[in-house]
């Protein structure tokens, strides 16, 4: 009962609901939509700058060297998810239409999220260095792996092409700010250590911006009015079950591999996420001449569900007691 009450009254979760409703009623259009896109990009860049400033080079290098953790996360993103997506074909065409199933399978093929995976890992006091490496690497290789998986597992129309600017965008928006944060760390690390408010504001603010932008995009494309309500309900149920299965598998896989709690949180958050920011532009290229708005509907729903569920999980872990100095020294 206490967990339910904490979940319902969690301020951050309530904020996500409020932002989703606000974007549905007043979606950003025209110039406002362009401004929102740039503000979101700036917020994400600032988030990575702060993470770079807070992480010591030694911790960052340890994150890069943690190949076992990154391998398991990539296996979850590009092996476990696609396998589950193929298994869900039994629902088509009885419960979901062909286009909606295409969308369900597509959501299983896109990369992991970046900013929200790292933000939730930070909120839950997990291994942020490991999350930065895993989430970023997932998106970089996803530029190549996702189209290849689509070709292998789907029948698409039109030509499939990869825009090299996607890699440049990842470097400029994510890795460059992180590197700048590393460079300015000697001058700002003390202040950031004493002041947790800036990181918390950017953590949560970037997620709220992504939610608002996603719901605005859905309203502008009239996604909700193009499919029957009961089919949307079925897709919501599929997304909930899919997320629950992956969260369960990644959590117990972390225990099976003997990862410490901080690394299990990285696996939990990075291994269970799917990126709307990466998925939407990929869908526009891969599904030329097809109902892209309908195909990305499952990804849109899954994205919002994962944010809400992982908000509860991250806040739950954030409330765990701090380790005693003696225990920390023993570790």
């Amino acid at each position: 009962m206490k967990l339910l009450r904490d979940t319902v009254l969690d301020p951050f979760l309530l904020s996500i609901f409020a932002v989703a409703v606000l974007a549905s009623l007043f979606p950003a259009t025209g110039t406002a939509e362009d401004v929102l896109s740039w503000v979101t990009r700036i917020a994400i860049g600032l988030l990575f700058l702060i993470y770079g400033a807070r992480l010591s080079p030694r911790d960052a290098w340890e994150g890069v060297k943690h190949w076992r953790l990154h391998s398991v996360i990539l296996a979850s993103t590009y092996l476990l998810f696609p396998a589950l997506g193929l298994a869900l074909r039994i629902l088509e065409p009885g419960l979901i239409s062909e286009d909606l199933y295409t969308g369900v399978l597509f959501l299983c093929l896109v990369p992991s999220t970046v900013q929200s995976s790292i933000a939730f890992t930070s909120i839950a006091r997990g291994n942020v260095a490991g999350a930065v490496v895993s989430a970023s690497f997932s998106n970089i290789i996803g530029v190549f792996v996702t189209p290849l998986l689509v070709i292998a597992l789907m029948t698409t129309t039109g030509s499939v092409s990869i825009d090299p600017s996607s890699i440049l965008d990842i470097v400029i928006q994510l890795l460059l700010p992180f590197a700048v944060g590393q460079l300015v760390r000697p001058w700002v690390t003390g202040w950031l250590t004493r002041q947790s408010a800036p990181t918390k504001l950017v953590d949560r603010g970037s997620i709220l911006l992504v939610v608002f932008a996603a719901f605005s995009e859905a309203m502008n494309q009239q996604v909700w009015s193009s499919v029957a309500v009961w089919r949307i309900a079925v897709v919501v149920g599929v997304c909930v079950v899919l997320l629950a299965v992956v969260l369960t598998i990644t959590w117990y896989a972390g225990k099976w591999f003997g990862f410490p709690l901080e690394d299990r949180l990285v696996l939990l958050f990075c291994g269970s996420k799917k990126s709307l920011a990466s998925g939407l532009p990929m869908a526009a290229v891969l599904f030329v001449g097809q109902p892209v708005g309908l195909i990305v509907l499952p990804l849109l729903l899954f994205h919002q569900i994962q944010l809400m569920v992982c908000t509860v999980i991250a806040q739950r872990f954030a409330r765990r007691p701090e380790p005693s100095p003696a225990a920390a020294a023993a570790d």
Side-chain angles (χ1 to χ4, degrees):
M1 182 64 69
K2 183 178 185 298
L3 175 60
L4 178 61
R5 183 172 64 253
D6 290 343
T7 299
V8 173
L9 299 180
D10 183 89
F12 187 37
L13 186 58
L14 292 176
S15 298
I16 289 179
F17 278 112
V19 167
V21 171
L22 183 64
S24 299
L25 296 175
F26 306 102
T29 59
T31 302
E33 187 176 14
D34 294 335
V35 172
L36 175 63
S37 175
W38 278 105
V39 171
T40 304
R41 287 172 176 266
I42 292 172
I44 294 171
L46 182 59
L47 176 68
F48 275 78
L49 190 147
I50 291 177
Y51 284 141
R54 292 188 65 183
L55 290 174
S56 69
R58 178 180 177 182
D59 289 339
W61 177 238
E62 288 298 323
V64 172
K65 291 194 300 182
H66 205 341
W67 62 269
R68 290 178 65 244
L69 174 63
H70 307 319
S71 298
V72 177
I73 291 172
L74 290 176
S76 176
T77 302
Y78 295 115
L79 294 178
L80 174 61
F81 262 108
L84 294 173
L86 289 174
L88 290 170
R89 185 180 290 275
I90 62 173
L91 301 178
E92 183 255 329
L95 292 178
I96 57 178
S97 65
E98 181 180 354
D99 288 333
L100 285 176
Y101 172 71
T102 299
V104 170
L105 182 55
F106 177 67
L107 90 82
C108 292
L109 307 182
V110 301
S112 175
T113 61
V114 179
Q115 72 275 8
S116 61
S117 293
I118 298 170
F120 285 132
T121 301
S122 175
I123 292 170
R125 308 206 316 266
N127 179 1
V128 176
V132 169
V133 175
S134 282
S136 300
F137 188 56
S138 173
N139 269 258
I140 291 174
I141 71 169
V143 173
F144 305 98
V145 174
T146 295
L148 292 176
L149 287 173
V150 169
I151 295 171
L153 303 178
M154 293 181 175
T155 300
T156 59
T157 60
S159 59
V160 176
S161 62
I162 300 298
D163 186 356
S165 65
S166 299
I167 300 177
L168 184 61
D169 288 343
I170 292 174
V171 172
I172 293 177
Q173 191 175 352
L174 307 179
L175 302 183
L176 181 59
F178 183 80
V180 172
Q182 288 278 285
L183 292 176
V184 302
R185 184 178 183 274
W187 294 277
V188 301
T189 183
W191 179 77
L192 286 176
T193 301
R194 294 189 301 270
Q195 303 290 333
S196 62
T199 304
K200 184 180 294 186
L201 176 64
V202 178
D203 274 347
R204 290 154 176 76
S206 62
I207 293 175
L208 294 178
L209 282 171
V210 170
V211 171
F212 189 91
F215 270 83
S216 289
E217 180 72 16
M219 294 303 295
N220 292 336
Q221 293 188 0
Q222 299 180 334
V223 169
W224 305 114
S225 61
S226 63
V227 62
V229 174
W230 71 270
R231 290 194 182 273
I232 294 179
V234 171
V235 174
V236 170
V238 169
C239 291
V240 170
V241 172
L242 182 63
L243 179 61
V245 169
V246 176
L247 284 172
T248 301
I249 291 175
T250 53
W251 178 250
Y252 284 102
K255 289 187 174 181
W256 187 79
F257 279 102
F259 294 145
L261 176 59
E262 290 75 12
D263 289 345
R264 295 205 303 271
L265 291 172
V266 178
L267 175 57
L268 185 72
F269 291 122
C270 294
S272 64
K273 296 287 192 307
K274 288 296 178 178
S275 174
L276 187 68
S278 298
L280 286 180
M282 287 183 181
V285 173
L286 295 169
F287 301 105
V288 177
Q290 300 186 46
V292 177
L294 194 58
I295 291 174
V296 300
L297 176 60
L299 177 59
L300 178 66
L301 293 171
F302 186 87
H303 187 267
Q304 309 314 317
I305 293 169
Q306 72 184 8
L307 290 182
M308 294 174 185
V309 171
C310 289
T311 295
V312 177
I313 296 174
Q315 297 284 57
R316 182 75 171 174
F317 278 104
R319 290 193 290 268
R320 73 183 187 276
E322 292 279 1
S324 64
D331 292 340

